[in-house]
Amino acid sequence: MIITDTGFWLALLDQRDQHHTTAKQALRQYDENLITTWCVVTETCYFLLNRKGVGVQTAFIRSINQGLFAIFNLESHHAPRIAELMQKYADLPMDLADASLVILAEHPGHGRILSVDQRDFNAYRWKQHHPFENLLID
């Protein structure tokens, strides 16, 4: 499974996004299951509503039921680790969506991600020292 960030979803769904073509190519190139978190879904919906309107936002939500991607559920026991990560990366700063993706990477034990956020995902480490492998942007 490949982890997906908000920026990937926005690029994929917004033809005017500078990374749109790259996102579409990556989706074809990496014919694998995708996974994200509810935090990313929430953030994506917020930006889609502002950029593209309610139709694109609801189509994105409907794609969950169509099996386009899976959603990892954060649980209350993840909260201390999320707080630790937010404090560790306070200089960036790290938001909840990004922290949730670090938690997600720690569960399957890999950091393969589709993200337009080069700066942050080059800095973040899962399980304290493992770097993310951004498959969208080299």
Side-chain angles (χ1 to χ4, degrees), residues 57-119:
Q57 176 189 236
T58 56
F60 175 67
I61 290 296
R62 285 187 185 110
S63 71
I64 296 168
N65 209 30
Q66 297 166 352
L68 179 60
F69 57 95
I71 298 178
F72 175 81
N73 287 311
L74 291 176
E75 298 181 22
S76 59
H77 68 86
H78 293 121
R81 178 74 173 127
I82 289 169
E84 174 188 333
L85 289 165
M86 289 174 160
Q87 188 64 45
K88 178 178 181 176
Y89 296 106
D91 59 322
L92 292 176
M94 175 183 265
D95 63 20
L96 179 59
D98 286 358
S100 75
L101 295 177
V102 174
I103 298 295
L104 171 54
E106 293 176 345
H107 280 269
H110 76 75
R112 296 172 67 234
I113 192 167
L114 294 170
S115 177
V116 301
D117 190 350
Q118 239 179 327
R119 180 196 71 168

Side-chain angles (χ1 to χ4, degrees), residues 28-39:
R28 284 191 297 271
Q29 179 182 353
Y30 300 105
D31 187 25
E32 296 179 45
N33 293 330
L34 304 176
I35 190 166
T36 197
T37 66
W38 280 112
C39 301

Side-chain angles (χ1 to χ4, degrees), residues 11 14-23 51 116 137:
D14 185 351
Q15 294 176 353
R16 295 181 306 183
D17 189 288
Q18 68 181 14
H19 301 289
H20 177 71
T21 302
T22 305
R51 281 190 190 185
V116 301
I137 298 177

